[in-house]
């Protein structure tokens, strides 16, 4: 049963990750227990973007605000700040058991996520699948065509295994000897595991990733939080929803442009959305754009139904990150955003850095309006999560109540 | 020299070295083509020998592995034979003596079944054959045994270990000795292991082999399971197609005797070789993009090589291999492709620069062995089948269907010719005679026509002019019940505001004549992309919305899938998608609107019509299983049960299960849910439950009885403490062997609607019948086969048949009779939607309506 360990591990790794930063600040932290009090400030950070939830999207209230008083704050904080990585690797089909090569990895997606802050960063890359085993071209092409539609040959964007793996590792950037747990859906686990091992073997890089299932993670979090274990089927249905299939800023650029639903990055992001949507609300976290793709709904809210231009919000907004991580600090946000990101390998995108101001004027105007209170609020930096700009009525509602 | 003789000449079987190792980066042209060297066995062999069996010796089978039965193509006992040994009738006391009904008007029917006469005391003798020293090659084993003079003029079938003879040998244990070409002495010991009566399933299999040989003698080639005659193709020159006429045959025991059945099949071939196709593609795409375009176009297509009349799927194209390259033959010698074809088939290759096509052969016996690959020369490969493009070509499909959809009369002519050929062909007759068989006459039998049904509507009873389509008859009638549609959304993209307006007014008009009140919807215009539709739905659907109607400008599946997926599982609201193209068709707007109004009524939980059901408190259930389109390891099980005695309201459930078989796991939950629903509506449990189970494959009958029926039974018995409901389970099969024709006006026609056949063409061990409940406007009608595998109700066969016929009237998506009972069709529709578009369980909130119509 890896799941119970998993949630504890997450907590452990979160604090562990903090230790070097704390040490840099000159704090006397020898072990995880020492670091906990210093980390708590990160959790107490207010949410940066206040949300007006679109009124029309609220059919019913099906999640009641949890009774905060009865919960152990310490555990909550550990869970909230814990950083998880969701990983998926797509393959050109699955070859029969007698083949030495069972999968042909072609796309990888990974997101860094915490309940508190939503998606912190994402990583995406195409992988060069290599030579298709003779005789299996049709098999692979058919498998690709029925899902992610990545061409099996003459596809320039694919990187070789060593590069992809190196970039993935530097995205996860573990402490020496301490790899954070990586999660993927249980259905995908055999494939992702095989691909990781295969890529490590061909590129002669050590493979130390500990691949766990998201289902177990969710069960673990519920267990930790409510001392009750939800059923795996329920968890599975929770993770398998269609509502974000076409959300903006979810798929990778190529899949978005070609309008294909199956994208390794999108799978990871949608896991994050689902967990945010169902779990984060139980912790009383205000959902931000980093948690779920809200902008799709906000932008169109003010229009009359006759003239809805629904994809106006497809461009990611200028967003101010919370101060959870030093390098995401808003103080250096604007300055960072224009600097080429040399210190991140290709494919890695840090969500706070996206400054591409595109789209129409009205969108930008809306965005600036919706952002301004947040920034003011953030700089004040002294409120709890219930900011004056967020009505308490909206505070804890699950996004799933939209459905 | 025959293949067998060649083996004899070699003496020792060379172990197959032709299995290419898959996964190696380079497949060397030298180490290739097991099938090429194997296909050197010409199709016309000597007069004896199980060619099929010896051809299988490609995969070397150790002697120990030779099972105790003759094996089918997939290495197992043929699946339909597994079913044949299941006896369900003896447990059903009320039909043990007689399972035929008596009501209805008798009708004389001609069938596609022929009698086979054999002597009363006919027996098949089974011998076990062992070799000393032990030989591995089945080909060699067969060659030695068949070559022995003791057996040379006996009728025999041999699979490598077991020998069947029609005459008993003198001794129980016979020792024969023979010598291989190399001079090794081999001793063969034949031990009698049994004498089988003609009714045994093993005999059925031997009969099939005998008829396989006979069709070979009539110069028919086996492709897949069917036999085709390449000598008389039907050409459709304007579409570059030729159709090979063929037959599907089987021999089996029907109600009272052994019967041979034959049905007409066609194989569609394109009069274009792969090389010609490649050349024209090269012209249109240019050299640079050619390999990719070629792979895109050709991979996955099935080709036929006329030199051996075999089909292969193109799995890959090897651009590095040319016909002038060499490959290794089975005996180890190297030969070029050009020379090989010249020597073997006397074919000269013209283009020496063509690449070769690669096909993976399915391993017949062992799934873990490596796949073997065949290299094929494009010049010799003919494309088969129809492309998707061709299928959507109306003119082409019309031309094809004119040939393939045979009228009863021309079908009968083909059958008569086959019978004639078998009788006249000397070799064929000889083969039959050595086995002691005689090909008899065409069977005719008497069916009964059930009376037509009245359709009950809100305040009138309608006697339809034709049971096939009563849409005109009920045009002015009010449907049984229809909730009014007050709050609904109409989402559209594109510019057709005027079309929408006229469609809406038609919908309102059609609705009002049906008694279905349609209010003005909230109309939303969105950009033409799936995301926009999804967002509009997410924004505007609230709990009071009864229906979302989407007018789609293209029939790309992505629109439909995303709308249905979201609205059935995440946000359960009935939805209706309409194509702009359909609305644009002139002159059909009102009838279209009527059809949509009916569908929408059902989706909102309304009832359209009913038929008279004499049984009070009867619940009917339909179950269907199909495979998920995206995820082949997942089976989708649909369950639809009626919840009122009138059988007009339904409870629908669907689940996805991870199994490789099509057997349902979750029936107990479904049945309990349906019974609860029934109890809620009727305040009692139903007295009778009849379950129609569709989607059953060959060989699953026993599993059904052992696994599904107990699930249903347990929930039925748990449902009530005192008198529990009585259960019947009927297996429905849309594909069955027999066809029936009736003679009228000096010509053969399809039998009238409601024709029931429950004698002669049925099976002795089953409580089964055929029912014709559909019309075929073109071609011959396909009867539906019903097999009652469990029956507590004890309804008379007459009543069972009538009830089944009545249920075929109740499918609300079509105002007329359909081929299977309505609950089955609903379950099918539900599983199809889930398997194709949704891929997850629909929300329970929709279970009370026919949201999937």
């Amino acid at each position: 049963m890896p799941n119970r360990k998993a949630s504890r591990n997450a907590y452990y790794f979160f604090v562990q990750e903090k230790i070097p930063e704390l040490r840099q600040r000159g704090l006397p932290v020898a072990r995880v227990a020492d670091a906990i009090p210093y980390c708590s400030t990160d959790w107490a950070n207010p949410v940066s973007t206040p949300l007006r939830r679109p009124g029309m999207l609220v059919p019913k209230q099906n999640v009641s605000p949890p009774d905060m008083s009865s919960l152990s704050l310490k555990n909550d904080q550990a869970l909230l700040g814990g950083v998880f990585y969701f990983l998926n690797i797509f393959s050109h089909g699955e070859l029969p058991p007698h083949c030495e090569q069972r999968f042909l990895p072609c796309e990888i997606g990974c997101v860094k996520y915490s309940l508190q802050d939503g998606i912190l960063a994402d990583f995406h890359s195409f992988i060069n699948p290599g030579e298709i085993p003779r005789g299996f071209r049709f098999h692979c092409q058919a498998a690709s065509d029925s899902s992610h539609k990545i061409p099996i040959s003459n596809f320039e964007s694919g990187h070789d295994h060593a590069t992809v793996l190196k970039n993935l590792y530097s995205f996860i950037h573990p402490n020496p000897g301490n790899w954070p747990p990586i999660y993927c859906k249980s259905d995908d686990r055999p494939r992702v595991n095989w691909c990781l091992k295969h890529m490590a073997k061909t590129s002669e890089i050590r493979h130390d990733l500990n691949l766990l299932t998201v289902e177990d993670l969710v069960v673990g979090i519920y267990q930790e939080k409510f001392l009750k274990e939800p059923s795996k089927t329920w968890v599975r249905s929770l993770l398998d929803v269609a509502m974000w299939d076409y959300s903006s800023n979810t798929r990778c650029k190529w899949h978005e442009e070609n309008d294909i639903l199956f994208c390794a990055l999108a799978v990871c992001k949608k896991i994050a959305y689902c967990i945010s949507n169902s779990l984060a609300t139980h912790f009383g976290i205000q959902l931000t754009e980093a948690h779920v793709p809200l902008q799709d709904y906000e932008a169109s809210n003010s229009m009359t139904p006759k003239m809805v231009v629904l994809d106006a919000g497809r461009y990611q907004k200028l967003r101010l990150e919370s101060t959870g991580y030093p390098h995401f600090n808003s103080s250096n946000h604007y300055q960072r955003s224009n600097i080429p990101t040399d210190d991140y390998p290709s494919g890695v995108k840090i969500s706070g850095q996206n400054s591409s101001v595109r789209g129409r004027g009205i969108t930008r105007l809306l965005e600036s309006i919706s952002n301004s209170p947040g920034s003011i609020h953030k700089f004040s930096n002294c409120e709890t999560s219930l900011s004056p700009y967020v009505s308490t009525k909206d505070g804890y509602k699950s996004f799933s109540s939209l459905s | 020299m025959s293949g067998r003789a060649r083996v004899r000449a070699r003496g020792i079987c060379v172990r197959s070295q032709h299995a290419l190792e898959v996964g190696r980066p380079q497949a060397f042209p030298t180490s290739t083509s097991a099938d090429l060297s194997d296909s050197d066995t010409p199709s016309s062999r000597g007069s004896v020998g199980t060619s099929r069996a010896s051809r299988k010796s490609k995969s070397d089978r150790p002697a120990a592995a030779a099972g105790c039965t003759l094996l089918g193509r997939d290495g197992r006992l043929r699946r339909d034979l597994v079913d044949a040994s299941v006896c369900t009738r003896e447990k059903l006391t009320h039909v043990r003596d007689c399972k035929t009904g008596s009501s209805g008007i008798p009708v004389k029917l001609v069938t596609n079944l022929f009698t086979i006469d054999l002597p009363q005391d006919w027996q098949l003798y089974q011998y076990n054959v062992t070799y000393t020293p032990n030989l591995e090659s089945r080909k060699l084993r067969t060659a030695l045994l068949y070559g022995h003079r003791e057996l040379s003029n006996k009728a025999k079938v041999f699979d490598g270990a077991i020998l069947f003879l029609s005459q008993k040998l003198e001794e129980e244990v016979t020792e024969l000795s023979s010598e291989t070409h190399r001079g090794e002495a081999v001793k063969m010991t034949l031990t009698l292991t049994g004498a089988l009566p003609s009714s045994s399933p093993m005999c059925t299999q031997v009969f099939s082999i005998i008829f396989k040989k006979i069709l070979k003698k009539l110069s028919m080639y086996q492709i897949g399971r069917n036999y085709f005659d390449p000598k008389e193709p039907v050409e459709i020159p304007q579409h570059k197609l030729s159709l090979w006429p063929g037959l599907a045959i089987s021999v089996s025991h029907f109600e009272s005797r052994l019967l041979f059945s034959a049905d007409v099949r066609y194989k569609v071939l394109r009069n274009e070789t792969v090389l010609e196709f490649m050349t024209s593609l090269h012209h249109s795409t240019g050299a640079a993009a050619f390999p990719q375009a070629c792979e895109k176009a050709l991979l996955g297509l099935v080709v036929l090589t006329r030199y051996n009349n075999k089909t292969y799927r193109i799995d890959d194209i090897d651009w590095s291999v040319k016909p002038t390259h060499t490959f290794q033959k089975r005996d180890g010698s190297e030969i070029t492709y050009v020379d090989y074809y010249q020597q073997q088939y006397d074919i000269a290759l013209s283009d020496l620069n063509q690449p070769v096509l690669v096909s993976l052969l399915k391993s017949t016996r062992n799934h873990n062995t490596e796949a073997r690959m065949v290299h094929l020369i494009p010049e010799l490969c003919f494309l088969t089948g129809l492309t998707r493009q061709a299928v959507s070509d109306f003119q082409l499909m019309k031309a094809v269907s004119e040939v393939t959809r045979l009228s009863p009369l021309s079908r009968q002519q083909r059958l008569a010719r086959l019978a004639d050929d078998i009788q006249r062909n000397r070799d064929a007759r000889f083969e039959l005679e050595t086995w002691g068989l005689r090909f008899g006459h065409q069977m005719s039998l008497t069916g009964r026509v059930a009376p037509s049904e009245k359709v009950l509507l809100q305040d009138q009873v309608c006697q339809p002019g034709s049971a096939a389509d009563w849409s005109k008859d009920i045009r002015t009638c009010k449907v049984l019940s229809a909730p009014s549609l007050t709050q609904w959304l109409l989402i559209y993209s594109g510019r057709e505001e005027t079309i929408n307006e006229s469609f809406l007014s038609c919908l309102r008009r059609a609705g009002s004549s049906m008694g279905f009140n349609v209010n003005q919807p909230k109309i939303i215009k969105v950009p033409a992309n799936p995301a926009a539709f999804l967002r509009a739905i997410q924004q505007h659907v609230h709990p009071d919305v009864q229906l979302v109607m989407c007018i789609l400008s293209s029939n790309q599946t992505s629109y439909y899938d995303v709308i249905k997926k979201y609205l059935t599982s995440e946000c359960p609201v009935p939805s209706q998608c309409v194509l702009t193209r359909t609305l644009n068709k002139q002159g059909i707007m009102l009838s279209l609107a009527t059809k949509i109004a009916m569908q929408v009524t059902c989706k909102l939980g309304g009832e359209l019509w009913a038929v008279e059901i004499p049984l009070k408190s009867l619940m009917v259930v339909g179950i269907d299983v199909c495979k998920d389109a995206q995820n082949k390891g997942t089976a989708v099980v649909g369950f639809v049960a009626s919840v009122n005695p009138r059988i007009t309201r339904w409870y629908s459930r669907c689940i996805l299960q991870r199994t490789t078989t099509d057997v349902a796991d979750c029936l107990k939950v479904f049945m309990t849910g349906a019974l609860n629903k029934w109890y809620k509506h009727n305040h009692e449990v139903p007295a009778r439950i009849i379950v129609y189970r569709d989607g059953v494959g060959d060989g699953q009958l026993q599993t059904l009885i052992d696994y599904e029926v107990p699930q249903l039974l347990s929930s039925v018995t748990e449902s009530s403490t005192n008198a529990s409901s009585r259960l019947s389970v009927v297996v429905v099969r849309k594909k069955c062997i027999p066809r029936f024709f009736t003679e009228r006006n000096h010509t053969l026609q399809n039998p009238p609607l409601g024709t029931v056949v429950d004698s002669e063409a049925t099976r002795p061990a089953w409580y089964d019948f055929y029912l014709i409940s559909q019309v075929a406007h073109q071609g011959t009608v396909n009867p539906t086969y019903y097999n009652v595998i469990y029956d507590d109700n004890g309804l008379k066969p007459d009543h069972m048949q009538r009830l089944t016929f009545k249920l075929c009237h109740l499918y609300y998506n079509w105002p007329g009779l359909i081929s299977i009972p309505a609950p089955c069709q609903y379950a099918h529709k539900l599983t199809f939607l889930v398997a194709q578009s949704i891929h997850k369980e629909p929300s329970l909130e929709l279970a009370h309506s026919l949201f999937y119509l």
Side-chain angles (χ1 to χ4, degrees), chain A residues 314-334:
Chain A
R314 63 188 291 144
Y315 307 109
Q316 198 194 9
K317 284 182 193 166
L318 237 173
R319 215 153 39 75
L320 301 177
E321 267 302 326
S322 67
T323 51
Y325 295 86
H327 51 270
F328 291 167
N329 256 333
S330 61
S331 50
N332 60 14
H333 174 90
Y334 287 103

Side-chain angles (χ1 to χ4, degrees), chain A residues 54 56-60 95-101 131-139 141 145-146 151-155 186-187 233 236-238 240-248 251 256 259 261-262 296-301 304-314 400 402-403, chain B residues 20-27 292 295-297 299-301 313-320 358 360 367-371 373 375 492 497 522-527 529-543 558-559 562 565-566 569-571 630-631 658 839-841 845:
Chain A
M56 295 184 74
L57 291 172
V58 199
K60 58 192 172 202
L95 303 188
H98 60 74
C99 296
E100 196 191 324
Q101 179 156 20
E131 193 71 27
I132 309 283
R134 176 68 66 209
F136 287 96
R137 187 168 283 272
F138 168 65
H139 181 88
Q141 187 170 307
D145 286 349
S146 70
I152 57 172
S153 53
N154 292 17
F155 187 60
S186 56
D187 289 352
T233 320
R236 222 170 251 148
S237 69
L238 175 104
D240 180 27
V241 294
M243 70 180 299
W244 288 297
D245 278 357
Y246 287 97
S247 297
S248 52
R251 291 172 279 179
E256 174 100 45
D259 202 10
L261 286 185
F262 293 83
D296 294 343
Y297 303 93
E298 267 193 342
S300 51
N301 197 28
T304 55
K306 252 301 195 197
M307 317 168 44
V308 204
V309 182
L310 283 164
D311 58 351
R314 63 188 291 144
S400 68
L402 304 180
S403 50
Chain B
L20 283 188
E21 197 166 344
V22 178
R24 276 190 193 155
Q26 189 68 96
Q292 239 193 324
E295 276 165 8
K296 202 165 174 58
L299 291 187
L301 294 184
R313 186 179 73 187
I314 306 176
D315 285 308
D316 208 339
I317 300 173
D318 199 334
W319 302 93
S320 62
V358 182
L360 288 183
H367 290 287
N368 290 323
T369 53
E370 284 165 7
M373 285 190 276
H375 283 179
Y492 76 103
E497 273 87 4
K522 180 171 178 180
I523 301 174
I524 302 152
K525 179 175 177 166
V526 296
N529 65 61
F533 271 93
L534 182 63
R535 256 166 239 163
I537 292 167
Q538 285 173 355
Q539 278 194 324
H540 298 286
V541 171
H542 53 87
S558 57
Y559 284 91
V562 72
K565 196 171 180 183
Y566 184 71
S569 64
E570 279 156 59
C571 175
Q630 242 172 38
N631 200 341
R658 272 155 223 253
H839 312 293
K840 63 190 279 195
E841 207 175 315
E845 286 173 47

Side-chain angles (χ1 to χ4, degrees), chain B residues 692-738:
Chain B
Y692 289 91
R693 169 68 157 89
D694 199 355
V696 184
D698 279 338
Q700 291 181 340
L701 208 54
Q702 190 61 50
T703 325
L704 234 59
I705 295 164
D706 294 343
Y707 191 62
E708 288 193 3
V709 174
Q711 292 179 52
L712 294 167
L713 265 179
S714 78
S715 75
V716 168
T717 44
E718 280 167 24
S719 69
S720 166
T721 43
N722 37 26
S724 72
S725 329
R726 278 170 289 174
L727 178 79
S728 299
V729 181
V730 186
V731 172
V732 181
R733 304 204 59 171
K734 279 166 285 195
K735 284 194 183 123
C736 56
I737 300 167

Side-chain angles (χ1 to χ4, degrees), chain B residues 551-563:
Chain B
I551 305 206
L552 306 177
S553 50
S554 85
N555 64 351
Q556 272 176 26
T557 52
S558 57
Y559 284 91
Y560 187 80
D561 288 359
V562 72
I563 292 167

Side-chain angles (χ1 to χ4, degrees), chain B residues 234-444:
Chain B
V234 184
E235 301 287 344
I236 308 179
Q238 68 270 35
H239 298 296
K240 284 196 194 164
L241 292 177
S242 67
L243 280 80
W244 285 5
L247 291 165
I249 61 148
S250 73
V251 184
S252 48
H253 264 277
F254 284 86
E255 195 68 42
S256 55
R257 60 194 304 174
L258 191 67
L259 294 175
F260 167 86
S261 70
D263 201 4
V264 181
R265 293 280 189 280
Y266 281 95
K267 183 113 201 140
V268 179
L269 297 168
R270 286 190 255 169
N271 288 341
E272 190 179 28
T273 66
V274 175
L275 186 64
E276 284 161 4
F277 181 85
M278 282 176 158
T279 316
S280 65
L281 193 70
H282 192 267
H283 282 305
S284 60
T285 60
F290 172 65
Q292 239 193 324
C294 195
E295 276 165 8
K296 202 165 174 58
L298 285 175
L299 291 187
L301 294 184
V302 174
V303 294
L304 182 118
T305 47
R306 292 220 175 146
Y307 51 82
N308 61 355
N309 285 319
K310 282 193 171 193
T311 53
Y312 304 90
R313 186 179 73 187
I314 306 176
D315 285 308
D316 208 339
I317 300 173
D318 199 334
W319 302 93
S320 62
V321 179
K322 302 267 173 284
T324 46
H325 291 180
T326 59
F327 68 96
Q328 197 173 25
K329 274 176 55 168
R330 184 167 282 209
D331 58 5
S333 62
E334 299 261 324
I335 188 167
T336 65
Y337 294 91
V338 182
D339 293 343
Y340 174 79
Y341 282 101
Q342 187 68 54
Q343 287 172 19
Q344 195 66 45
Y345 299 108
D346 197 20
I347 299 172
L349 297 182
S350 62
D351 185 341
L352 298 182
N353 277 318
Q354 54 190 323
V356 297
L357 309 177
V358 182
S359 178
L360 288 183
L361 295 180
K362 275 188 205 151
S363 66
T364 44
R365 308 232 157 225
N366 196 342
H367 290 287
N368 290 323
T369 53
E370 284 165 7
R372 292 172 311 118
M373 285 190 276
V374 189
H375 283 179
L376 303 164
I377 307 294
E379 191 180 342
L380 306 176
C381 295
F382 285 84
L383 294 167
T384 67
L386 297 168
T387 58
R388 189 175 296 165
Q389 204 182 353
V391 169
S392 57
D393 181 344
F394 177 76
Q395 290 300 331
L396 186 148
M397 290 310 284
K398 196 178 161 204
V400 171
S401 72
E402 269 167 15
V403 179
T404 55
R405 296 212 180 141
L406 286 181
S407 70
L409 186 63
S410 41
R411 198 172 285 263
Q412 168 60 23
Q413 284 163 351
R414 288 290 309 275
L415 293 176
R417 219 179 79 194
L418 171 73
D420 206 46
D421 284 347
I422 293 177
Q423 307 275 22
R424 277 166 193 264
N425 187 300
R426 213 166 51 86
D427 289 342
R429 221 176 46 225
F430 177 73
E431 178 74 35
L432 279 173
E433 275 165 13
T434 51
W435 285 98
L437 305 176
R438 207 170 63 80
F439 196 78
H441 57 90
Q442 196 168 359
M443 278 266 296
S444 50

Side-chain angles (χ1 to χ4, degrees), chain A residues 1 8 105 125 136 142 177 210-211 232 264 266 275 291 335 341 345 403:
Chain A
M1 284 287 284
R8 257 178 255 132
S125 179
F136 287 96
N210 183 15
L211 198 62
K232 283 269 169 72
I275 290 180
H291 288 102
Q335 136 201 2
T341 55
S403 50

